[in-house]
Amino acid sequence: AAMDFESAFAGVRKTVEATEEEYSELRSEILEMSKELPASAEEISAVAEAAGQLGIQKSSLLSFTRTMIDLGEASNMTSDEAATALARFANITQMDQSQFSNLGSVVTDLGNKLASTESEIVEMGLRLAGAGAQVGMTEDQILSFAGALSSVGIEAEAGGSAFSRVMVQMQLAIEKGNDQLYQFAEVAGMSADQFKRAFKENAAGAIIAFINGLASLDGTGKSAIGVLDEMGLSEIRVRDALLRASG
């Protein structure tokens, strides 16, 4: 057992730059963690090794490892899958690495409350992370949109890219002040200036207002499909993502 652990810990040495004193502390912490968590010291070492490889800072290494082991138990992801996906997500959004425990809590809470699994939420979140961070959305907002879209059966590969395109289109419309800005605002039930201000203050709220506006178009004599066509958002994956979200 000791040899197995030392072999696993060699992987930590390979990916984490530290002094001998720091390695000794890491070894002790991993062994202690194995007494508290339902994972062996070798399994915990493997996650810590991956953490080093994924660019997790030394100060956050143990808390990251503990959170990923917990996610491996509490979700349908393995610890390794959770580590890789959430480290990449944090890199894209430039998240403070001290917040991994909160990030894990958000993923678990959404998985408990929505008709979607944690792995689907995280996969969709990765697709939305770039555009979401660009327009000023927080990590929990990005994952909440990911959970909502996943729960209506939108697949990450197609729907994530499509919904990201909508975010980018909104950002461009606001920067350029073009006709599409007025169209987004009209659907959201705002003036162009109100929508512009709303998007800059809370992009997630402005996107929700637009989606809610699509849902209430039926009573106005217009159809959501027709409006999206006028706005240049008729590409089938974009239209499908927005219609399902508005539903």
Side-chain angles (χ1 to χ4, degrees):
M3 287 172 65
D4 288 342
F5 171 62
E6 289 304 324
S7 177
F9 193 77
V12 179
R13 282 180 170 272
K14 186 178 71 173
T15 64
V16 178
E17 288 188 16
T19 63
E20 285 304 317
E21 187 179 346
E22 288 170 328
Y23 283 134
S24 178
E25 188 177 339
L26 271 175
R27 180 188 281 106
S28 297
E29 291 287 347
I30 288 171
L31 287 169
E32 282 302 310
M33 218 183 284
S34 71
K35 297 174 187 176
E36 300 170 32
L37 302 176
S40 68
E42 296 92 83
E43 289 170 322
I44 297 170
S45 295
V47 176
E49 177 184 348
Q53 192 174 22
L54 292 162
I56 303 302
Q57 298 156 3
K58 271 187 298 186
S59 58
S60 302
L61 191 80
L62 289 169
S63 62
F64 174 87
T65 300
R66 178 181 285 272
T67 299
M68 298 310 133
I69 294 291
D70 285 344
L71 270 174
E73 292 300 316
S75 75
N76 70 327
M77 294 187 288
T78 67
S79 299
D80 287 343
E81 287 169 347
T84 301
L86 292 183
R88 287 173 178 168
F89 180 85
N91 286 339
I92 294 168
T93 63
Q94 296 294 292
M95 188 189 83
D96 182 341
Q97 291 195 358
S98 67
Q99 299 296 307
F100 273 111
S101 177
N102 289 359
L103 189 67
S105 295
V106 168
V107 171
T108 307
D109 196 44
L110 289 168
N112 289 342
K113 290 177 177 173
L114 298 173
S116 184
T117 64
E118 292 85 0
S119 60
E120 288 172 327
I121 292 166
V122 171
E123 188 180 359
M124 179 71 83
L126 274 171
R127 297 277 178 178
L128 299 178
Q134 187 65 41
V135 302
M137 286 166 63
T138 58
E139 288 82 10
D140 56 316
Q141 289 174 335
I142 293 168
L143 286 172
S144 296
F145 270 103
L149 294 171
S150 299
S151 69
V152 290
I154 297 172
E155 292 182 3
E157 190 170 348
S161 301
F163 207 80
S164 292
R165 183 183 160 191
V166 175
M167 295 181 193
V168 171
Q169 290 283 88
M170 276 191 190
Q171 175 88 26
L172 289 173
I174 283 160
E175 288 178 5
K176 294 178 179 180
N178 56 20
D179 289 344
Q180 201 172 47
L181 169 59
Y182 292 89
Q183 292 171 317
F184 276 123
E186 185 180 0
V187 173
M190 304 180 196
S191 69
D193 285 340
Q194 286 173 329
F195 188 78
K196 189 174 183 178
R197 187 165 58 250
F199 190 84
K200 286 183 176 179
E201 290 175 0
N202 179 11
I207 294 167
I208 289 169
F210 173 71
I211 290 169
N212 285 341
L214 284 176
S216 58
L217 277 175
D218 286 341
T220 66
K222 297 180 179 178
S223 72
I225 291 174
V227 168
L228 291 174
D229 187 55
E230 288 173 17
M231 295 180 69
L233 296 172
S234 59
E235 196 272 318
I236 190 165
R237 289 180 299 179
V238 173
R239 187 179 65 200
D240 183 50
L242 285 171
L243 290 176
R244 289 197 194 200
S246 69

